[in-house]
Amino acid sequence: MEPQPYSLTPEEESRLIDDEFADLLQGYISSNHRKKVDIIERAFRFARSAHDGVRRRSGEPYILHPIAVAKIASREIGLGSTSICAALLHDVVEDTEYTVEDIERQFGKKIAELVAGLTKISGGIFGDRASAQAENFRKLLLTMSQDIRVVLIKMADRLHNMRTLGSMAPNKQYKIAGETLYIYAPLAHRLGLFSIKTELEDLSFKFEHPAEYARIASLIKGSEEKREMVYNNFAAPIHRRLAAMGLTYEAKARVKSVYSIWRKMESKHIPFEEVYDLYAMRIIFDPPEGVGEKEMCYRIYAALTDLYRPHPERIRDWITVPKANGYQALHVTLMGPDGNWIEVQIRSRKMDEIAEKGFAAHWKYKIGGEGEEESELTVWLRTIKDILDDPNPNAIDFLDTLKLNFFSSEIVVFTPKGELLTLPSGATVLDVAYTLHSEIGNHCIAGKVNHKLVPLSRKLNSGDQVEVLTSQSQSPKQEWMSFLSTAKAKTRLRKELRREQMPYVEEGRKIFEKFLEDNHIILNNNVITKILGRYQVQTREELFLKLGSGVASIDDYLNVNTSSGARSLVSRLFRLGFSGLKPKRGSSEKASGDSSPAAEAPQINTHNVYVLHDDGKERNYTLADCCRPIPGDDVMGFLCYDGKVEIHSLTCPHAQKLKASYGDRLLAVKWDNVKSEFIANIRIEGIDRHGILQELAGLISNSLEIDIRRLNIEAKGEVFSCSLDVKVSDTSQVDSLCAKVLKINGVKRADRVK
C-alpha cells in the first residue's frame, strides 16, 4: 500500500484538473437534477484559485480533493448543484484567507451555510482532546437537524480521504481507519448509505490488516468460477418464472464484502470455506401499472417459494416495518438445488435506490410539502436528542452511546395499547421503560412480556408485547448499565446516577483543591493528565467522585505535607520538572528549575514505527490485558499517561475506542527480537471418544513440547469441547499446534480464541 511517487509537469497537472472537473460535470449533466452548470463552474474556478499552489501529502494538487468529494456527493450519494458547490468549496474557509461571508456574497446563503457547517466540523470529527471530540460530534449531529446535506458531504469527504489514505504516516492511518470504523461506517449505515458503509469498512480493514485483506480477497477471486456456476444453476429457474410473469426486472448476485466475510469468520470461528452465504441474489423490479410495490414483492416471494424451500427462521419483512434508516425490502433465504442456502433480496427500483443512497434518494421521490426524508430524519434525530442535550464530559461514554444508536440490528415490540416501538436487538424491559419516559425507567421494578412476569433485565424478541411495572420506592442502580442496549436509556440512566452523585463530586472537588493549595501546585493540563492516569479515571468528575465517596484517598498516591515533598512528588510522578508547581516567595529560580533523572520522561516520536524489544528480562512495552496479543498479531501501540507503550490487538474493542478518541497517542509498531513466551487460549471441538483427552495432552506436551497452563474439557452427549491455555512464542506456533491437533481422529475444530 505504499503510495506511488508523484511526478507530473505543470501542463499535465492542469490537464488532469480540467479532465477531472469535466468528468464531474458530465456526471451531473446526466443526472435528473436541474442543470445549474454555471454556478458549479464558478465554484470550481473560485476553489481552484483559492487552493492554487497547495498540495496534498501525496504531492498532487489540493484542488483534486474537492473535485473528488463533489464527484462522490453527486454520483454516489445523488446530491445536486448546491451540494456540489459546497463540496468544491468545503475547505476554502478552513485553509485559505476567504471567509463564510465571502462565500455568501459569491454563491448565496444556502451554499455558504453548508460550507460554514462543514468548516465547523473540519479536521474530522475527532480533535486532539477527548472533550473536543465529543463536542465536535455534537456539532455534526446538530448540524444534521438543520441540513442533512452537511453530513452527506462530510461522508463523501471521509470516503475520499480513506481512498487516498496510503500517503499518510502509519500511526495516522490507524487513527483515521479506527475512527472511520468506529463512527463513520455506523453513521453511514444509519443514514442508509449502504454502498459507502461497505467501502468504508473494507478500506479500514485493508489498512489495519493488509495481509488478511489480501488473503480473503484472493480466496474470493479463487472461488469466483465455482460461485458463478452455483448461482447460474440457482438463478435459471427464477429467471424463467419471472419472465413468465411479464415482469420488468434486474437480477444479480451481490458478493459479501471482504470485511463482512472476515467478521463472520472471526465471530463464528470458521474458515473461509465454511462461510456459506458468500453472496446474495438481488431482484430489482419496476412495478407493473396498477400493482403496488408491496403486493409485487409478495407475488415474487410466492413465485420463489414455489421453486425452492424457504428457511422458516430467515424471512425478513422490511416492507411492512421499514428500518429506521428508511430501508425497505423483502428478504427470504432459499435452499438451492445443490443444498446451499442462498438469500434473495426483493426490492422495487425505488427501494433499491433508497437502500444504496439512503436519505438522499428520497429527494428524487419527494412530492410537495415536507419531504419524506425530513420527516424520517426528524424521527431519528428525536431518538438521539437526549444524548445531544446531555452535558456528559466523558467523550468515550458519549461516543459509545451514539454508536449504540448508529449500528444495531432492530426489533419491533408493542406496548399494551398496541403502540409500536423500534429498538436495537438485545433491548430489555428496562430499555422500553426508559424509552417511554425517564421517570418510568428510574422506578422500573419488573415487566410483563406477553402477559408473563419477567425481570427488568429480560431481553426482548421482535413481536413481544411489553408492559412495564414501576414502584416509587425503586431507584436507579449502577449495575443497570450492564443490561441496557439503547442509547436513550443509557443516557437517561447516566444522567440520573450523576444527579445522585453530585454531592460526592463536590466534596471530592474541595478535597482536591485543598491539596493543590496546601502544596502550592498550579494545575495545568500535564499535571491533571498524570493525576487522572494515576487514579485510573478518564475525567476530573470521576476523580472527584472517587475522592468524595471515600473510594480513594488523596493520600493513596499524593501523600505529601511540604512544598519540597510536593516538588519531589511531582518531579517523580508527573515528570514535569516542577513546571506545575507554584514557587514560594523567596525561592530561587534555580530551585524551581531543578530536575532529577527521574523527572525526565522518555521521548517517543509517534510518527516513527516503534520497534518492540524483549530479551526475556526487559521489554520496552506492556501487553494490554483486554486482548492479550502475541507476536505475529496485527497490533498497535498506545502511549499511556505514564510514558509506557501499551500494545493492543488491532481488533480489540478497547483499541477501537482508543483509535477513535486518542489519535495523537497512537503508535505504529512492529515485533522484533521478542524472546518471551506468551499465553494463548485455544479452543478445540470434536466427537468424543475414549482416550481423546490423553491423546490431545500427549501431542501438545510431548510431541510439540508446549507447556499447558490450563485445561478444561467438557463432553455433552457425543460432542466434546476443550479450552486450554498454552505458552507459545508467536502466532506461527499457534497455527502449527492447531493444524496438528486437527489431524487427531475426532477433532473437528481447533483455533485460537482472541
Side-chain angles (χ1 to χ4, degrees), residues 267-547:
S267 62
K268 295 189 178 295
H269 301 285
I270 56 175
F272 176 84
E273 293 71 27
E274 291 183 29
V275 181
Y276 69 86
D277 54 343
L278 274 178
Y279 62 87
M281 182 184 190
R282 186 172 293 164
I283 296 170
I284 304 160
F285 65 87
D286 297 308
E289 196 164 335
V291 181
E293 293 177 322
K294 182 176 178 179
E295 182 185 341
M296 198 66 237
C297 283
Y298 286 117
R299 284 189 191 179
I300 294 171
Y301 168 79
L304 297 181
T305 52
D306 282 346
L307 293 170
Y308 297 115
R309 182 160 58 89
H311 193 304
E313 294 177 7
R314 300 194 64 185
I315 297 168
R316 301 286 181 267
D317 182 356
W318 299 113
I319 300 172
T320 306
V321 183
K323 289 189 178 184
N325 59 18
Y327 179 85
Q328 286 185 290
L330 186 60
H331 293 192
V332 57
T333 301
L334 303 169
M335 174 70 79
D338 58 351
N340 283 320
W341 290 107
I342 296 174
E343 183 182 74
V344 181
Q345 301 167 352
I346 306 166
R347 305 173 177 175
S348 69
R349 185 76 54 189
K350 174 183 174 182
M351 291 174 189
D352 186 61
E353 285 202 36
I354 291 169
E356 295 301 307
K357 294 181 178 177
F359 286 115
H362 284 282
W363 290 328
K364 179 176 176 180
Y365 301 99
K366 186 164 66 171
I367 307 171
E370 186 185 353
E372 230 182 319
E373 82 289 347
E374 283 100 351
S375 58
E376 283 187 15
L377 186 61
T378 303
V379 170
W380 178 58
L381 281 169
R382 203 180 301 133
T383 68
I384 59 170
K385 186 176 185 302
D386 286 350
I387 312 164
L388 297 177
D389 291 343
D390 181 23
N392 180 11
N394 189 329
I396 296 292
D397 280 350
F398 180 73
L399 297 176
D400 266 350
T401 307
L402 282 167
K403 197 163 188 296
L404 282 176
N405 217 284
F406 285 158
F407 213 173
S408 55
S409 302
E410 292 161 343
I411 61 170
V412 176
V413 299
F414 299 90
T415 67
K417 292 182 179 178
E419 182 187 351
L420 184 147
L421 299 174
T422 302
L423 299 167
S425 179
T428 61
V429 170
L430 188 59
D431 281 304
V432 171
Y434 273 113
T435 299
L436 295 173
H437 197 278
S438 294
E439 283 302 299
I440 296 175
N442 291 338
H443 298 295
C444 177
I445 53 169
K448 281 186 177 180
V449 174
N450 304 326
H451 309 291
K452 291 182 180 177
L453 193 65
V454 297
L456 45 77
S457 59
R458 164 71 178 271
K459 289 189 176 180
L460 304 171
N461 297 311
S462 229
D464 282 345
Q465 187 181 56
V466 186
E467 181 182 352
V468 177
L469 306 178
T470 61
S471 167
Q472 285 305 309
S473 62
Q474 177 72 293
S475 60
K477 311 284 190 299
Q478 182 66 46
E479 57 266 27
W480 286 5
M481 200 65 76
S482 64
F483 48 78
L484 286 175
S485 291
T486 61
K488 177 180 284 190
K490 287 206 170 197
T491 303
R492 288 181 168 180
L493 173 58
R494 196 178 288 119
K495 190 179 290 186
E496 182 61 22
L497 291 172
R498 193 181 306 124
R499 188 183 66 77
E500 294 180 354
Q501 292 164 352
M502 281 315 293
Y504 298 110
V505 172
E506 288 306 313
E507 181 62 27
R509 189 191 307 276
K510 290 174 186 173
I511 293 169
F512 186 67
E513 288 174 352
K514 186 175 187 307
F515 167 78
L516 296 179
E517 186 178 340
D518 289 348
N519 293 286
H520 311 286
I521 298 174
I522 300 172
L523 202 62
N524 59 31
N525 282 339
N526 289 330
V527 172
I528 191 62
T529 297
K530 295 293 182 181
I531 293 174
L532 295 180
R534 190 71 173 177
Y535 278 90
Q536 296 183 317
V537 292
Q538 296 274 358
T539 66
R540 297 188 193 202
E541 189 172 297
E542 289 177 66
L543 170 64
F544 298 154
L545 178 61
K546 271 192 168 186
L547 296 176

Side-chain angles (χ1 to χ4, degrees), residues 202-235:
D202 266 11
L203 288 169
S204 298
F205 180 58
K206 184 177 182 180
F207 281 98
E208 291 195 338
H209 304 276
E212 192 67 2
Y213 180 92
R215 185 178 78 85
I216 295 173
S218 174
L219 288 168
I220 292 172
K221 189 169 178 59
S223 63
E224 190 173 353
E225 193 174 321
K226 182 184 174 185
R227 271 199 332 271
E228 199 169 313
M229 185 176 69
V230 170
Y231 174 76
N232 289 337
N233 289 341
F234 175 76

Side-chain angles (χ1 to χ4, degrees), residues 24 28 84 107 125 131 152 166 198 247 312 336 384 394 397-398 410 541 582 637 738:
L24 164 67
Y28 169 69
I84 292 171
F107 302 100
I125 287 170
S131 57
L152 297 173
T198 303
L247 196 63
I384 59 170
N394 189 329
D397 280 350
F398 180 73
E410 292 161 343
E541 189 172 297
K582 188 193 302 178
C738 291

